[in-house]
Amino acid sequence: MQHSAPQAPQGDGLKEAISSLKNSSLGYLQSKSELAAIEAKEAAEHAKKKISLGAVTAFFAIFTYALFLILAHSVLLKFTAPYLEKIGKVIPLDNHQIILLMFFLFHLLLLFIYLCKLGKKPQVELFALTKSEIQKDKQWLKEMNNNAK
């Protein structure tokens, strides 16, 4: 009587294939995450440059705007003096104070407009494609884990 070599059940080959596929998919995801890290580092460097340029630009913009307001104040004071005197009879303020009050109210109105715009939620969901891809990857890995068991 000859004893034949014990044969491995057919399920073992499938388990090995699934395990191999799982390991290769983990390597794939790891390489994708490394690439994303490299790209994130490059994006951070670019953002640092943009932020520093933005800070310098903001400084000069604020300084220029302050000079513009001073100029506008003097021009308005010169050309609207008769009207300002009439307003001064109703409101106990001198001409300079009336112009500054108008500037203040104008800027306060702009502030409220932009605060309302800032408070609105975006119409389109941010990172929708990335979120859906991550969900697909999670589902795929979950299926792979279930099949490996």
Side-chain angles (χ1 to χ4, degrees):
M1 202 182 254
Q2 291 184 351
H3 291 279
S4 61
Q7 293 183 351
Q10 290 180 348
D12 287 342
L14 181 62
K15 285 183 181 179
E16 288 176 15
I18 290 174
S19 177
S20 173
L21 185 60
K22 182 177 160 184
N23 290 336
S24 65
S25 65
L26 290 176
Y28 172 76
L29 290 176
Q30 184 179 16
S31 65
K32 276 200 164 233
S33 66
E34 288 173 5
L35 179 61
I38 291 169
E39 288 177 347
K41 186 176 179 181
E42 289 174 357
E45 290 295 323
H46 181 71
K48 286 179 187 177
K49 289 178 185 176
K50 287 288 188 179
I51 288 172
S52 62
L53 285 174
V56 171
T57 303
F59 169 77
F60 285 113
I62 291 170
F63 184 72
T64 303
Y65 188 67
L67 290 176
F68 168 75
L69 288 177
I70 293 168
L71 176 67
H73 177 267
S74 63
V75 169
L76 284 173
L77 192 60
K78 181 175 183 173
F79 291 110
T80 60
Y83 304 108
L84 294 174
E85 289 175 8
K86 290 178 183 176
I87 293 172
K89 291 178 183 175
V90 176
I91 302 173
L93 298 173
D94 66 4
N95 293 353
H96 294 281
Q97 293 170 332
I98 293 172
I99 289 177
L100 291 176
L101 180 63
M102 289 188 311
F103 281 176
F104 169 75
L105 293 175
F106 173 73
H107 286 87
L108 188 64
L109 175 67
L110 289 178
L111 172 69
F112 286 135
I113 289 171
Y114 280 97
L115 280 175
C116 289
K117 286 185 177 187
L118 188 62
K120 289 182 181 177
K121 292 188 177 187
Q123 295 176 353
V124 179
E125 183 182 1
L126 300 176
F127 304 108
L129 293 175
T130 304
K131 288 178 184 176
S132 68
E133 286 298 317
I134 289 173
Q135 289 301 325
K136 288 178 187 176
D137 288 345
K138 283 181 182 178
Q139 184 65 29
W140 182 70
L141 287 173
K142 188 176 179 181
E143 289 174 7
M144 293 299 295
N145 285 334
N146 288 341
N147 290 337
K149 291 181 182 178

